[in-house]
Amino acid sequence: MLTAPTDSVWGDLASYLVTLGDRYDAKAGLERQTQATRDVWAIMWRESKTIEQVLNPAQLKLLPWPAAYLRTADKPPTWQRASARARTASTA
């Protein structure tokens, strides 16, 4: 269930990135990558809500991260890499 929606997000990002030349707006590129990452986390979060229809309670307790986290989260995560934020701040 995740492959087509997430492939679409990553494919769109890849299409954007491949059009960039040698000189590009790094901040805009990072924003696109950050949004794609958030979109994929949101897709995974939505899909994680259906896992209880497939697994029994004992199996649910054995779920690894991030599935266990996503299953119980109230909203999709909005994480991004701290190192990427630091690089952008230093070049802005």
Side-chain angles (χ1 to χ4, degrees), residues 12 16 20 24-25 40 44-45 54-55 65 69 73 81 84:
D12 289 347
Y16 164 76
L20 298 177
Y24 58 91
D25 183 348
V40 168
M44 292 173 55
W45 174 77
V54 179
L55 301 180
W65 187 93
Y69 168 79
R81 294 180 11 224

Side-chain angles (χ1 to χ4, degrees), residues 24-88:
Y24 58 91
D25 183 348
K27 185 175 181 180
L30 179 60
E31 287 171 0
R32 293 283 292 260
Q33 181 252 330
T34 299
Q35 188 57 53
T37 302
R38 287 181 178 168
D39 291 348
V40 168
W41 277 116
I43 292 166
M44 292 173 55
W45 174 77
R46 277 193 311 272
E47 292 299 324
S48 74
K49 304 308 177 189
T50 64
I51 204 163
E52 292 179 15
Q53 300 167 8
V54 179
L55 301 180
N56 66 43
Q59 292 170 316
L60 290 171
K61 289 181 183 178
L62 297 173
L63 282 173
W65 187 93
Y69 168 79
L70 292 170
R71 185 180 141 263
T72 60
D74 294 332
K75 60 184 180 177
T78 57
W79 303 313
Q80 78 180 43
R81 294 180 11 224
S83 60
R85 283 195 310 263
R87 276 195 305 273
T88 302

Side-chain angles (χ1 to χ4, degrees), residues 4-20:
T6 57
D7 281 357
S8 176
V9 172
W10 294 131
D12 289 347
L13 177 62
S15 294
Y16 164 76
L17 293 173
V18 79
T19 65
L20 298 177

